Amino acid sequence: MSSHEDKNHSPFIPTRDDNHAQFTALDLCQRCQPWGQINIHSIVCRSTITRPFTTFREDTSVEQLTRDPQCALCAAVFNAYSERSQALPSLQSWPPQRIVIRITGPFYTDQFLQDQIIMSRQPDVSDPNYIVVRTFLELNIRCLPREHMEENGSKQCFTEQKDQVATATDEAPYPQLELTITPQFKMKYSNEEIPVLCGIEEWETPHFDVGVLKNWLKHCSDVHGTECVAKAGENAVLPEGFRVIDTEEMSVIQPSGFIHFVALSYMWSCDPNDNVQLEKSNVDALQAPGSLRKTTIPGIIADAITLCRDLGERYLWVDRLCIIQDDEITKPCQINAMDKIYSLATLTIIGALNVRNGLGLPGVGGRPRHPRASIWSRPHSADVEGQGTRLDNLISDVIDTSLWNKRGWTFQERLLSKRRLFITESQVIFECCQGQATELLTWTLATVCESPATVDIPAKIGDSEEATSFTSINERSKSQRAMAVPGFYEYYRDTDDSFVFKETASIQDYCRWVKDYSSRQLSCGTDILNAFAGIGNSLSAAWDSEVLYGIPEKYFPAGLLWDSMGTASRGGNIPSWSWASSLTPIDYEWHCKSYSREFFQIASLVYFYYQDPSQGLRKLDTEERWIQHQKTIEELAKGEELPPLEGKKIPGEWRTNWDWRQCPQSPWETFKCLALDPDACNIAAMFPGSLVFNTTVASLEIDHLHKIDYVKGPPMVHEASNALLRNRWGDGVGVLSNMDFRWIEERRSNEGNKKLFDIIILSGQLEKYGVRKYLALFDKWEDMWLLDVMLVERLPCKPFVARRVAVGTVKMCKWKDCEPRWETVVLC
């Protein structure tokens, strides 16, 4: 593309100092020649936009980069590659001629905009002799397969020229991606009629600007108000014995009245020498003014104290120094109040780091970031069309992948905080309930954004600022007001993976949170419920329902239908029916995808009772349903017909009522069997936290879902798969979800050795729409109803008592062929 050039100097490009400037163009190889011209960049230069939206992409090999050591750009790219490849032995051992680097750029650290907005980027002209452009490149590093190498290992031609651009040959078009890095380069061009490239060097931002952070917080407070900031006086509900660090007095205090405080979320250091904490023995000493100055505290806490002072916040809550760690009376109360502490904090400072050394927060005070942070950190998400940085995945790319986000305790700390300030190795990111901000957008001069319909290329910087001025702050929309704050941008999406707790939380939110939380790491496995207590309290308040071992009472029948890979159990005092008993991550989506409109539209078929450790046996207050209708079992049983359902491929009313009348466990049958076995109730008293309920039980066989060719041998990889349930006649009647091959193999019946396992009914459901659509083609309407079942194992010498093993489904029309019997089950 041709650049738009103006032979007259623009007023906003200062006249160079001819007495001191002596420009020498850098040496560039033939491939890198376009980078020597300033019009490769999308910037405002001499009243024009030079070559807007031109992104270059070329392929080269490590060997080719070193072929011309005089080329400044090749040397810069090779140095960035060499630095990062140190951590990958596979790259170190691979022949350099077989390592391809795809170079894409230039990109800029500004926001990706849509709706055909023209982005007029401004260079740095603080030095009148130079025009400086800060940019970054995307380097995709891949290894070509060794089998394509020549015997002598001297394969020379890796790329071919197409339209003067080096392009990968068809030899191996899709080699495995090894690494992506986005090194940042500062390109210095001479300030003369035809600028030439005079310098290329890496650039980083060693410290963040606290003033920028203050602006983010002020914007959030002014615009979002109580949606993001707790109301004054609300911390009266904080637990007794609540303490904070007074960052001015440098001591631990117990506030007597309302205070604004900041909370800290971080990973405890693994260093045994970094073990200072609040204990019974040092409470009085640490409450003395100036005591923390005399104490060696972890660097990350010291930096958080410094940052609080810089932000104008006096009080800081840190679990390690604000909870008496060896007090068995007050510590549980503090842990159980995490929902209050984090939701009432005016801000949560989060050390979203990838190491647990406790050294500190990068970029705070005298602790600079890594000198080559952009190479070692997560790569920027480059937008090829706009040449900016995509922000839609910023949180998921940078925060969600951090080691901090893999720890169990940090899940509720993040979810319950209304305003989060993430300190990462390379940048600071702010998130509140209504918007986000990133330091990344503040590293270069402001980008002027105008609609193409009214675009008028400014003649000077002052005109650029005028083009984006607004009339009155009260007349601006939230989005416009956010754009006026450097680094801030609003977002209006309520995505499935958003970490925002709302009082309108749904059962889908709960299932998604449990899935995320159960995949995290805990140093002490017994903390599985403690680290979820804050979320449990918040759900309890939002739904006006108790949470029992992590499962909300209101949605208890659905909450029992969790699934995990394998059958390993945590044991201890956690009952087997709770997801907290699983040693592996759990999921609810085997039942129905969380985005489905039919998610957990179940049919209630069981009355559950709970052996409450404090109240004794009581009936659970659950929401009883008939698929789309909120109807009690009693209401259903007293009617002659079941409520009609709406939707596609659903059995007709006559068919539905006929099939359910034939089922041994229906609302009518459940309502007939209300009385619990007295002996079972007496035994349940021996198992606090157990469930007691009447249901039908059938003894079934377990087999592989698909036929195994034992002549060829079992599968090499024993991945989890569904197991088949058979009745006594060998008919397949249902499946168990996610069972290990070996587990099934050990329990399947053999010739002359029939093995039976007890299956119990929990609830009912309709088949997923996709399956119903298929069944309707063959008029198999009777197969569209399923029963949610649980495989249990009986405790020896204890009648009625069983433990959960797995969950699955049985075809409702087949249940009568399984010879079910009504029993009172004690599920512990």
Side-chain angles (χ1 to χ4, degrees):
M1 293 184 179
S2 62
S3 62
H4 306 281
E5 296 185 4
D6 186 348
K7 294 184 179 181
N8 297 319
H9 284 278
S10 173
F12 74 85
I13 299 291
T15 303
R16 67 184 176 91
D17 186 353
D18 291 320
N19 295 325
H20 296 87
Q22 294 182 353
F23 302 122
T24 302
L26 293 179
D27 288 333
L28 296 173
C29 65
Q30 183 177 2
R31 184 180 60 252
C32 298
Q33 285 296 323
W35 294 89
Q37 304 174 29
I38 199 168
N39 62 6
I40 196 173
H41 299 285
S42 175
I43 62 171
V44 176
C45 181
R46 309 193 184 286
S47 303
T48 63
I49 300 180
T50 63
R51 203 162 196 161
F53 310 112
T54 300
T55 303
F56 286 83
R57 173 176 290 170
E58 61 182 33
D59 295 312
T60 185
S61 68
V62 172
E63 181 188 50
Q64 288 175 324
L65 286 177
T66 60
R67 193 173 296 168
D68 189 354
Q70 301 304 316
C71 177
L73 185 60
C74 286
V77 171
F78 178 75
N79 288 337
Y81 160 79
S82 298
E83 171 75 12
R84 191 62 178 85
S85 63
Q86 297 174 14
L88 289 176
S90 59
L91 289 178
Q92 293 290 314
S93 61
W94 214 256
Q97 70 270 23
R98 308 303 295 175
I99 301 175
V100 51
I101 300 180
R102 170 161 287 182
I103 306 171
T104 311
F107 298 106
Y108 309 92
T109 57
D110 52 29
Q111 187 174 0
F112 167 71
L113 298 176
Q114 297 177 333
D115 301 326
Q116 295 182 335
I117 296 286
I118 291 180
M119 299 190 299
S120 309
R121 298 180 173 92
Q122 300 172 2
D124 180 359
V125 292
S126 56
D127 184 339
N129 294 313
Y130 296 99
I131 303 171
V132 178
V133 183
R134 294 177 183 267
T135 183
F136 71 89
L137 302 180
E138 182 180 75
L139 308 182
N140 291 318
I141 303 163
R142 304 168 186 259
C143 293
L144 290 179
R146 285 181 181 270
E147 53 265 27
H148 289 286
M149 296 179 60
E150 294 184 353
E151 292 183 4
N152 58 10
S154 60
K155 180 86 171 181
Q156 295 295 321
C157 183
F158 166 70
T159 60
E160 59 184 2
Q161 293 297 120
K162 292 183 179 180
D163 297 329
Q164 297 183 342
V165 176
T167 307
T169 62
D170 294 333
E171 173 186 26
Y174 300 107
Q176 182 181 2
L177 179 64
E178 292 285 341
L179 178 66
T180 298
I181 59 176
T182 51
Q184 299 170 173
F185 295 111
K186 182 168 61 176
M187 298 191 172
K188 186 183 294 186
Y189 294 86
S190 61
N191 182 11
E192 52 187 342
E193 189 66 29
I194 302 179
V196 296
L197 182 62
C198 303
I200 299 177
E201 58 185 69
E202 294 180 17
W203 67 276
E204 303 289 348
T205 306
H207 298 91
F208 55 80
D209 186 346
V210 176
V212 171
L213 275 54
K214 285 183 176 181
N215 287 338
W216 295 346
L217 296 172
K218 185 178 185 302
H219 171 79
C220 175
S221 299
D222 292 346
V223 178
H224 306 154
T226 56
E227 295 180 42
C228 298
V229 184
K231 297 177 182 179
E234 278 189 350
N235 72 333
V237 297
L238 287 168
E240 184 178 354
F242 177 73
R243 291 174 170 83
V244 291
I245 296 173
D246 187 331
T247 63
E248 291 185 7
E249 296 292 332
M250 286 300 287
S251 62
V252 179
I253 66 167
Q254 276 189 262
S256 57
F258 175 78
I259 59 167
H260 288 283
F261 69 94
V262 173
L264 176 65
S265 175
Y266 67 110
M267 296 178 289
W268 282 41
S269 173
C270 297
D271 188 350
N273 298 320
D274 224 1
N275 59 3
V276 62
Q277 59 186 21
L278 190 65
E279 299 174 344
K280 293 178 181 179
S281 60
N282 63 8
V283 170
D284 294 337
L286 292 181
Q287 290 182 156
S291 57
L292 292 179
R293 291 192 182 94
K294 307 171 186 177
T295 305
T296 302
I297 59 179
I300 198 166
I301 298 177
D303 286 350
I305 291 173
T306 299
L307 182 55
C308 277
R309 288 202 210 101
D310 293 342
L311 292 173
E313 297 289 346
R314 179 169 181 175
Y315 301 106
L316 173 67
W317 183 87
V318 183
D319 56 358
R320 189 165 195 156
L321 294 175
C322 298
I323 298 177
I324 304 177
Q325 299 296 324
D326 58 351
D327 191 328
E328 297 179 358
I329 298 177
T330 63
K331 183 177 180 180
C333 296
Q334 300 285 321
I335 290 176
N336 198 47
M338 290 295 175
D339 55 313
K340 302 297 182 184
I341 293 173
Y342 281 98
S343 63
L344 292 175
T346 187
L347 171 71
T348 299
I349 297 172
I350 297 174
L353 306 176
N354 289 294
V355 292
R356 295 184 62 186
N357 54 24
L359 291 180
L361 297 172
V364 173
R367 200 181 303 278
R369 294 165 175 148
H370 191 284
R372 306 182 80 176
S374 63
I375 295 176
W376 286 98
S377 302
R378 293 284 300 184
H380 302 315
S381 182
D383 167 55
V384 176
E385 293 184 359
Q387 293 185 301
T389 306
R390 299 194 67 95
L391 301 177
D392 46 358
N393 295 322
L394 179 65
I395 295 292
S396 59
D397 288 347
V398 179
I399 306 302
D400 294 357
T401 57
S402 66
L403 179 61
W404 168 86
N405 197 59
K406 293 178 173 59
R407 304 298 300 171
W409 282 97
T410 63
F411 180 77
Q412 66 175 1
E413 296 167 5
R414 178 180 179 182
L415 185 66
L416 299 174
S417 298
K418 293 186 175 181
R419 304 203 299 181
R420 299 165 287 279
L421 191 67
F422 299 101
I423 313 293
T424 74
E425 282 86 356
S426 60
Q427 63 174 304
V428 178
I429 300 172
F430 173 74
E431 183 181 38
C432 63
C433 298
Q434 297 293 314
Q436 293 176 349
T438 172
E439 183 193 359
L440 182 95
L441 299 181
T442 68
W443 286 344
T444 55
L445 294 180
T447 298
V448 182
C449 306
E450 301 177 278
S451 169
T454 59
V455 65
D456 183 13
I457 303 300
K460 53 185 177 181
I461 290 181
D463 293 341
S464 303
E465 293 171 347
E466 202 171 282
T468 57
S469 64
F470 300 97
T471 55
S472 169
I473 193 169
N474 293 325
E475 296 176 5
R476 301 177 191 175
S477 67
K478 281 187 177 181
S479 180
Q480 289 173 321
R481 296 173 73 177
M483 289 174 62
V485 180
F488 210 102
Y489 57 99
E490 301 285 339
Y491 68 97
Y492 300 99
R493 65 186 188 278
D494 187 15
T495 57
D496 288 342
D497 58 351
S498 60
F499 277 84
V500 178
F501 184 91
K502 299 179 180 178
E503 293 183 356
T504 56
S506 64
I507 182 65
Q508 287 99 324
D509 292 326
Y510 165 80
C511 293
R512 176 167 47 84
W513 293 336
V514 171
K515 177 182 178 180
D516 187 327
Y517 173 71
S518 66
S519 68
R520 295 175 175 236
Q521 305 164 359
L522 286 167
S523 299
C524 184
T526 55
D527 284 336
I528 184 70
L529 290 174
N530 289 336
F532 195 77
I535 297 174
N537 292 340
S538 298
L539 289 172
S540 181
W543 291 340
D544 190 24
S545 172
E546 285 194 44
V547 175
L548 309 175
Y549 291 97
I551 297 180
E553 183 172 337
K554 180 178 181 179
Y555 300 112
F556 204 83
L560 290 175
L561 298 176
W562 55 271
D563 182 33
S564 64
M565 302 288 282
T567 60
S569 178
R570 196 178 303 274
N573 296 323
I574 302 176
S576 65
W577 50 260
S578 168
W579 53 259
S581 67
S582 175
L583 288 174
T584 56
I586 71 102
D587 195 357
Y588 282 97
E589 293 204 353
W590 74 274
H591 191 275
C592 188
K593 297 299 182 183
S594 60
Y595 54 79
S596 171
R597 300 171 67 178
E598 299 178 355
F599 187 74
F600 272 136
Q601 290 186 354
I602 64 173
S604 299
L605 297 174
V606 173
Y607 287 114
F608 291 99
Y609 292 79
Y610 173 62
Q611 186 64 42
D612 196 311
S614 58
Q615 303 178 32
L617 191 65
R618 65 177 179 87
K619 184 180 178 183
L620 292 183
D621 185 13
T622 64
E623 178 185 272
E624 297 177 27
R625 302 188 58 85
W626 183 257
I627 312 299
Q628 302 163 355
H629 306 279
Q630 193 170 332
K631 292 277 189 180
T632 66
I633 296 175
E634 182 177 359
E635 290 174 331
L636 295 171
K638 290 182 178 180
E640 290 297 321
E641 295 184 349
L642 297 170
L645 303 177
E646 297 180 355
K648 297 179 180 179
K649 309 302 179 184
I650 291 179
E653 295 178 36
W654 176 88
R655 179 87 220 191
T656 295
N657 283 281
W658 169 263
D659 288 339
W660 276 101
R661 285 288 186 182
Q662 307 305 308
C663 182
Q665 187 156 349
S666 64
W668 301 287
E669 295 300 321
T670 297
F671 195 66
K672 292 178 184 178
C673 304
L674 295 177
L676 298 173
D677 189 298
D679 292 336
C681 295
N682 292 332
I683 292 176
M686 302 168 57
F687 298 92
S690 60
L691 299 177
V692 184
F693 52 95
N694 286 338
T695 189
T696 51
V697 183
S699 299
L700 304 178
E701 296 181 54
I702 295 174
D703 201 354
H704 296 291
L705 185 61
H706 303 290
K707 186 176 181 180
I708 304 297
D709 188 345
Y710 288 94
V711 176
K712 295 182 178 180
M716 295 297 293
V717 180
H718 294 165
E719 297 179 348
S721 62
N722 291 344
L724 180 66
L725 293 174
R726 298 184 185 275
N727 61 18
R728 61 179 295 187
W729 294 281
D731 300 326
V733 297
V735 294
L736 294 176
S737 178
N738 280 332
M739 305 308 294
D740 183 79
F741 174 89
R742 291 178 179 174
W743 186 93
I744 300 173
E745 186 68 16
E746 292 171 356
R747 287 160 180 79
R748 62 188 298 270
S749 296
N750 299 311
E751 188 174 344
N753 183 17
K754 180 171 287 191
K755 302 176 183 178
L756 300 176
F757 300 88
D758 284 350
I759 304 294
I760 64 175
I761 300 298
L762 298 177
S763 55
Q765 62 162 306
L766 269 171
E767 269 283 17
K768 301 175 183 64
Y769 171 71
V771 178
R772 298 201 307 269
K773 186 177 179 180
Y774 172 79
L775 293 173
L777 293 175
F778 303 95
D779 290 329
K780 294 186 176 182
W781 301 98
E782 70 279 5
D783 289 343
M784 292 190 182
W785 286 100
L786 300 175
L787 297 174
D788 298 317
V789 301
M790 179 182 290
L791 167 65
V792 297
E793 60 179 3
R794 301 287 186 169
L795 264 63
C797 305
K798 294 290 183 183
F800 310 105
V801 182
R803 291 182 60 83
R804 176 200 185 278
V805 178
V807 291
T809 57
V810 167
K811 289 187 179 295
M812 183 264 285
C813 62
K814 300 285 187 180
W815 189 238
K816 62 180 181 295
D817 300 328
C818 298
E819 300 179 326
R821 56 196 182 273
W822 278 94
E823 287 187 18
T824 298
V825 175
V826 178
L827 191 63
C828 66

